[in-house]
């Protein structure tokens, strides 16, 4: 019987391959329209898109395809794929990030990754309706030059994010492809400041994005997607994030060289939350069971003690280095309140109680 981890790995491999194929198809479409040089300009500078004739493709289509093609070219230098464990994603979705410093995003643990969801969560879409969040493409950008770059580039002062969603019909099934070739996907583009003086929350990002799109206020879909992306990015910037690198091949596999090893193999992905996510889910389930049993038994004779419960975790920014000038993010794990009131065997192990 195939284990759940193997099934999740296969799902990540399938989605990652579709995402990269779609980005490559955008590049091929631009080449077919005689606009194949635009992704190079988007990386190295050189042309204003509004000055390009659009006889075949609209300006909106050209911009989106240029974004996809340029980010794919930069991604292909390292080919980093972060496989997001669904249990870890569920936990991150429940944690608040608060206001964060932009400089934190210059400390992304994995350069230019594509974060792929093994079990894509359902989210509200920016333009209405719902869809599955398949992947988040993360790239760097230099605002002054208006060009894409690696997230490790010293010029990088903002993150360029592309959230790729699969819209769903009312019955929950994927929408059919319009042209039978490219999938019917929706792309949410987001810019996240990465300057040392920047401070913002998810709501700030949503309002900036709404103004960019000519809206008076953010839509519910914009708020949700931006909140989810920020929760994900804050964790990926943590120096203590549960990110496991693939095991280096040995013997004959090592001799074949990196070029022969497929990037889309589940054995080459960076696993995010595959250890911590299931542990947190199990602890949460035990906490809910313990709370129900305590409520049935009553609150105790004294009447003033809080009933045993698990206080939710959250993400916070901490400052390190000389003069505490280097931002880092840390995940404050859930911990127990009035744990001593629990019956023997009810308190889950492995929950960290933060030091006061």
């Amino acid at each position: 019987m195939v284990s759940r981890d193997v099934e999740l790995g296969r799902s990540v491999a399938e989605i990652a391959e579709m995402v990269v194929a779609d980005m490559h198809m955008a590049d091929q479409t631009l080449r077919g329209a005689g606009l194949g040089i635009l992704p190079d300009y988007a990386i190295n500078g050189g042309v204003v898109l509004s000055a390009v004739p659009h006889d075949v493709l609209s300006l909106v289509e050209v911009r989106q395809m240029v974004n996809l093609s340029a980010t794919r070219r930069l991604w292909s230098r390292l080919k980093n794929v972060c496989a997001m464990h669904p249990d870890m994603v569920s936990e991150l979705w429940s944690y608040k990030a608060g206001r964060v410093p932009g400089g934190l995003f210059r400390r992304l643990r994995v350069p230019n990754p594509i974060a792929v969801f093994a079990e894509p969560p359902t989210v509200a879409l920016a333009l209405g309706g719902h869809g599955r969040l398949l992947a988040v493409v993360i790239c760097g950008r230099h605002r002054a030059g208006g060009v894409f770059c690696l997230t490790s580039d010293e010029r990088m002062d903002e993150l360029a994010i592309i959230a790729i969603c699969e819209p769903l019909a009312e019955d929950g099934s994927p929408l059919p492809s319009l042209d039978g070739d490219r999938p019917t996907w929706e792309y949410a583009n987001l810019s996240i400041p990465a300057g040392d003086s920047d401070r913002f929350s998810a709501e700030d990002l949503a309002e900036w994005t709404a103004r960019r799109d000519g809206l008076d206020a953010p839509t519910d879909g914009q708020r949700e997607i931006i909140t989810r992306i920020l929760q994900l990015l804050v964790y990926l910037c943590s120096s203590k994030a549960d990110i496991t690198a693939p095991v280096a091949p040995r013997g004959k596999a090592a001799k074949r060289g990196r070029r022969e090893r497929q990037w889309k193999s589940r054995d080459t992905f960076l696993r995010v939350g595959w250890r911590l996510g299931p542990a947190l889910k199990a602890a949460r389930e035990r906490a809910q069971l313990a709370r129900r049993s305590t409520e049935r038994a009553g609150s105790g004779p004294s009447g003033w003690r809080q009933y045993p419960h698990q206080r939710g975790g959250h993400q916070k920014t901490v400052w390190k280095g000389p003069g505490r000038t280097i931002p880092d993010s840390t995940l404050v794990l859930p911990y127990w309140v009035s744990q001593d009131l629990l019956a023997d065997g009810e308190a889950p192990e492995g929950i960290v109680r933060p030091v006061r």
Side-chain angles (χ1 to χ4, degrees):
M1 184 176 180
V2 177
S3 68
R4 184 172 185 241
D5 280 0
V6 172
E7 292 180 347
L8 293 176
R10 290 174 178 173
S11 174
V12 170
E14 180 181 352
I15 295 173
E17 187 173 3
M18 289 192 301
V19 168
V20 174
D22 185 63
M23 298 167 75
H24 178 70
M25 193 177 299
D27 186 77
Q28 295 298 106
T29 302
L30 290 173
R31 293 179 187 274
L35 302 175
I37 193 64
L38 292 186
D40 289 330
Y41 288 150
I43 297 173
N44 302 310
V47 71
V48 179
L49 286 182
S50 59
V52 177
H54 309 294
D55 299 331
V56 179
L57 300 171
S58 68
L59 178 59
V60 173
E61 290 174 318
V62 170
R63 286 185 181 276
Q64 187 59 66
M65 290 184 180
V66 168
N67 290 345
L68 290 169
S69 179
T71 52
R72 184 194 70 85
R73 295 186 186 189
L74 290 169
W75 170 83
S76 64
R77 298 181 185 180
L78 300 170
K79 297 184 178 179
N80 286 323
V81 174
C82 289
M84 304 300 303
H85 195 284
D87 294 342
M88 192 70 215
V89 172
S90 296
E91 287 297 319
L92 290 178
W93 272 202
S94 68
Y95 296 167
K96 294 181 179 180
R99 291 181 63 84
V100 294
L104 174 66
F105 300 108
R106 300 183 63 85
R107 302 177 61 80
L108 196 65
R109 286 275 303 277
V110 182
N112 283 66
I114 298 178
V116 178
F117 298 92
E119 292 181 356
T122 300
V123 296
L125 300 179
L127 301 179
H130 290 80
R132 298 196 310 155
L133 180 58
L134 301 178
V136 176
V137 182
I138 304 169
C139 189
R141 186 157 52 202
H142 179 43
R143 275 182 281 189
V147 296
F148 292 98
C149 61
L150 294 175
T151 56
S152 56
D153 194 317
E154 293 183 356
R155 300 175 302 161
M156 195 270 289
D157 51 13
E158 73 176 15
L159 291 180
I161 306 297
I162 304 176
I164 301 179
C165 301
E166 180 184 50
L168 300 175
E170 292 184 359
D171 61 358
S173 62
L175 295 178
S177 175
L178 297 177
D179 56 9
D181 193 7
R182 295 192 67 184
T184 303
W185 286 350
E186 184 173 309
Y187 307 94
N189 297 279
L190 175 65
S191 297
I192 298 183
D196 292 334
S197 60
D198 295 315
R199 297 287 189 280
F200 50 85
S201 63
E203 181 63 23
D204 294 329
L205 289 176
E207 292 179 356
W208 298 340
T209 303
R211 288 197 295 268
R212 180 202 65 188
D213 295 341
L215 302 176
D216 294 332
T219 65
D220 292 339
Q222 285 178 322
R223 283 193 172 96
E224 180 172 359
I225 290 178
I226 289 173
T227 298
R228 301 314 183 204
I229 290 175
L230 191 63
Q231 290 166 323
L232 169 67
L233 289 175
V234 169
Y235 186 69
L236 291 179
C237 291
S238 174
S239 61
K240 296 183 179 179
D242 177 21
I243 301 177
T244 304
V247 178
R250 298 179 179 180
K252 294 182 179 180
K255 293 180 180 179
R256 285 197 297 268
R258 181 180 180 183
R259 186 170 298 179
E260 294 186 20
R261 296 195 296 276
Q262 292 289 330
W263 67 265
K264 55 190 176 183
S265 169
R266 61 179 181 272
D267 297 329
T268 64
F269 298 149
L270 294 154
R271 297 189 170 197
V272 181
W274 288 60
R275 177 192 61 81
L276 184 59
L280 287 173
K281 179 182 178 181
R284 182 182 292 274
E285 290 175 347
R286 287 194 292 267
Q288 292 171 347
L289 179 62
R291 176 174 179 175
R292 287 195 295 268
S293 64
T294 303
E295 289 175 344
R296 288 195 299 268
S299 59
S302 64
W304 64 270
R305 290 288 301 278
Q306 292 190 52
Y307 61 81
H309 66 279
Q310 190 184 58
R311 185 159 292 170
H314 61 279
Q315 298 191 86
K316 64 180 293 186
T317 302
V318 295
W319 296 88
K320 300 180 177 180
R324 298 187 179 273
T325 57
I326 301 175
D328 191 9
S329 65
T330 185
L331 188 67
V332 179
L333 300 177
Y335 60 97
W336 278 93
V337 176
S338 299
Q339 181 177 340
D340 59 298
L341 297 181
L342 289 171
D344 292 341
E346 284 188 338
E349 298 178 356
I351 296 300
V352 176
R353 184 186 298 274
V355 178
R356 296 294 183 182

